[in-house]
Amino acid sequence: MILVTGGAGFIGSNFICEWLARDDEPILNLDALTYAGNLDNLKEVAGDSRHTFVHGNILDEQLLINLFNRFHPRAVIHFAAESHVDRSIVNPLVFVDTNVKGTTTLLNVALHYWEHLNPEDKAAFRFINISTDEVYGSLSESDTPKTENDPFNPSSPYSASKAAADQFGRAYSRTYQFPVITVRCSNNYGPNQYPEKLIPLMLTQALADQSLPVYGNGRQIRDWIHVSDFCAAIRSILAGARPGEIFNVSANNEIPNLELIHRLISLLDRLSPKDDGKSRLDNIVFVKDRLGHDVRYSMNSSKLKKMLHWYPTISLNEGLQNTVEAFLCKKDLLRPYNLR
């Protein structure tokens, strides 16, 4: 059995559904069901005996101890996190609680569980700690993509909290030889993403014929990876990576935010035209830039490709179309997102 934290969230739910579509090994899914966690994301596996859901928080040490002792997982995939930069600017302490304290609590319980395993199970155990490209900080347009050995330079409370969680995992690996594998991913997108993030926010607002807010001049560059490609990377890492390794996971789809929005909304207009024939791009409005807004993120993922032979398979154009089509299938359930 594998323990997945944050399995009702965007990436976690996609991982669970894709895992169970390919593998009979059961999943134990622990999620606190905060605002971004939604059991509707797991409808595909509802009633599946291989999926066990537990409503709980990674800060609850006794709950974690009970779950490890009861279910005996062979691996942990730690997705659970507070992940929205804007929210971290408003309330940094929530991010410290979940991302730093929660990760450390989970690491500590998993460590003590691992220490009491028999030698064979101990050697096979893995703890995959999900981090982010934002720990490397902002790059200029001329900077080379970051490698796993580059230093950290986080800008926001969110990225600082993830950098701390990342390094706690590394510290447990070095100090205790605990088999942590660190995974730093670029911007994920795809079905079931909560509409505070750029792509689902633009689609939700556009389908409601509301304003499409763009921070600053919209020239900030992000690197996008479809969630299915990222899930495939995690499966490869779980199957083949050595303890202590660090992997950047990127699909090398760098694009300025404004260009991405134009491509996304043009696709939406083509697949679901407005009754009046006008483009939803007319709803773009430029708003005051985010505090400390990073200019560019970029990572080199050649290590993962070389060591584990993982390669992204979904182009940005294909992935955006897949995402728009998924939104259109449930557009009657969407409501404008509260931007405040």
Side-chain angles (χ1 to χ4, degrees), residues 200-255:
L201 172 63
M202 292 297 121
L203 291 175
T204 301
Q205 294 296 109
L207 286 169
D209 202 24
Q210 300 293 309
S211 63
L212 307 179
V214 178
Y215 278 132
N217 58 17
R219 292 176 60 185
Q220 305 88 1
I221 296 172
R222 299 294 181 263
D223 186 3
W224 298 90
I225 182 170
H226 192 276
V227 65
S228 288
D229 275 334
F230 182 55
C231 291
I234 296 298
R235 293 194 300 273
S236 295
I237 290 166
L238 178 61
R242 297 188 300 262
E245 291 287 2
I246 309 169
F247 293 102
N248 290 341
V249 184
S250 163
N252 302 118
N253 289 318
E254 290 188 43
I255 185 172

Side-chain angles (χ1 to χ4, degrees), residues 157-171:
Y158 161 66
S159 57
S161 71
K162 289 296 287 183
D166 181 311
Q167 289 302 283
F168 265 105
R170 301 290 301 140

